[in-house]
Amino acid sequence: MEKIAAYPGTFDPITNGHVELIKSGLLLFDRIVVLVAERKEKSTLFTLKERIDLVKESLKGLGNVTAEPLPGLLVDYLAKNGIHFILRGLRTVSDFDYELQMALINRELMQSCETVFIMANKGSIFISSSLVKEIATNGGDIEPFVPHCVNSQIKIKLRRK
Ligand code: COA
């Protein structure tokens, strides 16, 4: 049976840390569906469509990975699509409390779902989408931290703001 994992997140924008995690996930799973959450409560730099397009472009060379919008509850998407695994990354101890809470609430909502954690590489422990945006906003170089398409799109986006 095909082993499929959903990797949910805001991806505003996708970073090299996310890409590395997806590559590691492909060693465990046959297919990964990257779910880009709408996050109406969070104000994002990129629109939902832009975030999905950047995810797709960043993962272009990888087979068995797709990207889709996540408009509602994660467990609803999982149940509808027969997916039982959630992929998440752990960077620091401070990620753990939040991730544990999410994993437990998701299991409470859907008993057959299991969250699988992958440790971030030491080179990407310090990367986050907010930091990338902060560096770019202040004219810093984000090239080492993000896929090429994100680097160019963020510059266009910030110039328009
Ligand atoms: N490498 C680099 N950065 C990473 C990373 C990695 N491996 N893993 C996480 N991050 C960063 C992200 O860039 C993001 O940075 P930011 O806070 O600076 O923007 C931060 O860690 C949070 O990561 P993200 O994966 O976007 O998590 P989130 O907390 O924003 O997303 C959802 C949470 C979308 C998964 C969750 O809200 C969800 O499932 N929503 C759907 C609705 C739902 O079902 N809710 C109930 C479930 S609790």
Side-chain angles (χ1 to χ4, degrees):
M1 205 175 87
E2 196 184 27
K3 269 190 282 155
I4 310 170
Y7 179 31
T10 311
F11 303 104
D12 184 44
I14 185 168
T15 68
N16 287 344
H18 296 122
V19 176
E20 280 170 16
L21 193 93
I22 291 162
K23 285 182 180 166
S24 302
L26 285 171
L27 301 173
L28 293 173
F29 296 100
D30 301 314
R31 192 152 62 85
I32 293 176
V33 184
V34 180
L35 292 177
V36 183
E38 210 166 315
R39 302 306 297 273
K40 286 195 184 108
E41 73 282 12
K42 208 172 170 179
S43 88
T44 55
L45 176 64
F46 292 99
T47 65
L48 178 64
K49 183 180 180 306
E50 287 168 340
R51 286 181 280 135
I52 295 171
D53 287 346
L54 286 173
V55 169
K56 284 183 177 164
E57 183 67 26
S58 304
L59 303 174
K60 224 174 186 175
L62 295 178
N64 299 336
V65 186
T66 51
E68 287 180 31
L70 176 63
L73 277 184
L74 175 60
V75 290
D76 288 344
Y77 181 95
L78 300 180
K80 200 167 154 202
N81 292 278
I83 298 175
H84 298 278
F85 295 105
I86 302 167
L87 179 65
R88 292 288 290 173
L90 284 177
R91 290 165 300 167
T92 57
V93 178
S94 58
D95 279 347
F96 183 78
D97 284 345
Y98 175 61
E99 292 297 337
L100 176 68
Q101 197 183 6
M102 274 214 299
L104 293 180
I105 196 104
N106 280 326
R107 200 196 274 153
E108 198 65 29
L109 294 169
M110 178 184 169
Q111 274 162 26
S112 65
C113 89
E114 202 60 64
T115 305
V116 175
F117 295 102
I118 290 182
M119 296 300 296
N121 286 341
K122 68 175 191 295
S124 56
I125 279 174
F126 53 86
I127 306 177
S128 78
S129 301
S130 303
L131 283 181
V132 158
K133 284 180 281 189
E134 191 176 328
I135 296 167
T137 306
N138 291 289
D141 181 18
I142 57 164
E143 202 246 67
F145 314 126
V146 294
H148 183 70
C149 58
V150 172
N151 192 15
S152 44
Q153 284 307 310
I154 214 166
K155 283 180 185 146
I156 296 168
K157 193 85 182 174
L158 291 172
R159 234 179 277 139
R160 280 199 201 127
K161 272 189 100 185

